[in-house]
Amino acid sequence: MARIPIIIDTDTAQDDCVTILLGLLDPAADLRAITMVAGNVGFDQQVANAHLTLNVAGRLGEVPVHVGCRQPVLREWSSAEDVHGDGSGGLAMDVTGVHNASEHAVDALLRLTAEAPGELNIIAIGPLTNLAVATVMDRTFPSRVKSLSIMGGSNNGRGNITPSAEFNFYVDPEAAQIVLDAGFPDVRIVPWDPVTLNDATFARPQYDRLCALGTPLARFFQRMCDATIDYDESVGVDGSTHPDSLTLAQLLHPELVLASAAYRVDVETTSPLTRGMSTMAWDKFGLAPNATVVEKVDAAAFYGILEAMLSRQTTPVRPISGMN
Ligand code: RIB
Ligand code: CA
């Protein structure tokens, strides 16, 4: 089976780390590059989290990490450190000699898609700042991207950082709207509500089973995700949330998707009350669709994909302190 070439654009913490692991270790994935965008936690910590994730998979230095936009297009950066801590779970490694790619993430997105037009699939699991800037710099960029899978918004449902807005669209709503208007040929969206809450949230017993798999990956998973499940349960979400890795998994394993539909998706950019809120107009409204929104996935099969991945025996390239 030909592997699927992907670029992961990420604000690396918690579920982003799990997504990078899936991109490195799933047999269907061919991870070509990681591009970093301002989002979850402090930018330099996100970059460190990305290298730490490569390391635990035994792949440190094998996938280029490109530093991207350190703040949203217009807005001040909004942190999710209350949700994730610093996203490292207290893990650390010697970073001597660990280098980021010298090329900016936006330049890398433009170059890689120019070198392989129509071949690369972008997995956008943070605010869409890098993708928006790439689009403004080169209006032909969207046409060169085979597919764009976005974790963002809610499908006429609850937000998470505010009652109406999901975090990725909230942090940079202008970037989200630029991307949604850009004409990417194949856009898939995995929203927070309902599909993450219904089908990509692992209740405590399921979560504990993943943590107990006895591999370095499982111990890493637990250290990365413990802070977030504690937060989630404190705000009434019944478990460990994994929208980002689902956003990649639905591309690698399309049989996971049990229901999806074409929608016109737009993001609120003017109202302080509903900043970042996504409106997802279904066919009733007769608007030209700009995305396929995932509505339901096979939760058990998705869990099984992550369980199989975390069961893999890997040897970290460098020792990781705090893992035991
Ligand atoms: O709202 C969920 C998104 O915000 C995910 O990408 C997760 O990483 C959090 O940052
Ligand atoms: Ca993310």
Side-chain angles (χ1 to χ4, degrees):
M1 170 180 71
R3 295 191 303 151
I4 299 171
I6 60 175
I7 297 170
I8 296 178
D9 191 71
T10 167
D11 56 345
T12 314
Q14 203 247 150
D15 58 333
D16 297 71
C17 300
V18 181
T19 312
I20 292 172
L21 290 177
L22 195 63
L24 291 167
L25 298 167
D26 190 296
D30 175 9
L31 180 56
R32 302 287 182 85
I34 296 169
T35 53
M36 304 299 305
V37 68
N40 276 321
V41 300
F43 195 90
D44 294 332
Q45 183 62 55
Q46 288 184 175
V47 174
N49 294 344
H51 289 297
L52 201 54
T53 304
L54 288 168
N55 182 39
V56 75
R59 305 284 295 281
L60 182 65
E62 293 186 21
V63 177
V65 176
H66 294 270
V67 170
C69 296
R70 288 176 172 264
Q71 66 182 52
V73 168
L74 289 182
R75 315 266 178 167
E76 290 300 311
W77 170 59
S78 305
S79 158
E81 286 159 327
D82 58 329
V83 177
H84 303 299
D86 72 358
S88 73
L91 301 178
M93 69 176 185
D94 175 10
V95 293
T96 308
V98 174
H99 299 294
N100 303 323
S102 57
E103 186 180 34
H104 190 278
V106 173
D107 294 326
L109 288 166
L110 293 174
R111 173 181 58 81
L112 290 167
T113 55
E115 291 171 352
E119 294 181 26
L120 297 178
N121 301 275
I122 298 175
I123 310 299
I125 53 175
L128 293 173
T129 314
N130 286 338
L131 295 177
V133 173
T135 298
V136 171
M137 281 179 68
D138 179 351
R139 292 290 179 183
T140 70
F141 165 64
S143 67
R144 305 201 296 267
V145 176
K146 182 173 185 182
S147 74
L148 171 60
S149 296
I150 297 169
M151 192 281 134
S154 279
N155 186 353
N156 301 295
R158 289 182 168 211
N160 51 25
I161 189 169
T162 71
S164 57
E166 175 280 324
F167 179 77
N168 291 337
F169 283 7
Y170 174 86
V171 170
D172 199 340
E174 287 76 18
Q177 191 61 54
I178 288 169
V179 169
L180 290 166
D181 285 338
F184 286 89
D186 177 358
V187 177
R188 302 104 180 271
I189 294 179
V190 171
W192 177 257
D193 187 0
V195 80
T196 298
L197 294 176
N198 290 350
D199 302 328
T201 297
F202 305 143
R204 184 64 74 164
Q206 287 181 300
Y207 175 75
D208 290 346
R209 193 159 67 239
L210 293 178
C211 294
L213 288 170
T215 61
L217 292 175
R219 287 195 296 278
F220 178 84
F221 171 85
Q222 178 169 11
R223 295 305 301 269
M224 282 294 176
C225 299
D226 267 352
T228 312
I229 187 171
D230 291 344
Y231 173 84
D232 283 337
E233 289 174 336
S234 75
V235 295
V237 173
D238 182 26
S240 180
T241 51
H242 292 278
D244 289 354
S245 55
L246 176 58
T247 304
L248 173 55
Q250 61 77 38
L251 177 77
L252 300 177
H253 304 284
E255 69 280 5
L256 285 176
V257 178
L258 302 179
S260 65
Y263 287 77
R264 169 73 212 185
V265 182
D266 292 286
V267 176
E268 177 58 63
T269 58
T270 55
S271 156
L273 177 64
T274 55
R275 161 192 167 171
M277 178 177 180
S278 57
T279 62
M280 300 190 181
W282 59 98
D283 53 0
K284 169 184 183 292
F285 299 97
L287 299 175
N290 57 352
T292 298
V293 177
V294 175
E295 295 171 319
K296 180 155 185 56
V297 303
D298 182 335
F302 171 55
Y303 180 85
I305 286 168
L306 291 192
E307 187 176 37
M309 184 271 288
L310 293 172
S311 299
R312 296 272 302 267
Q313 284 295 347
T314 60
T315 304
V317 176
R318 296 187 180 191
I320 300 174
S321 62
M323 276 272 274
N324 302 314

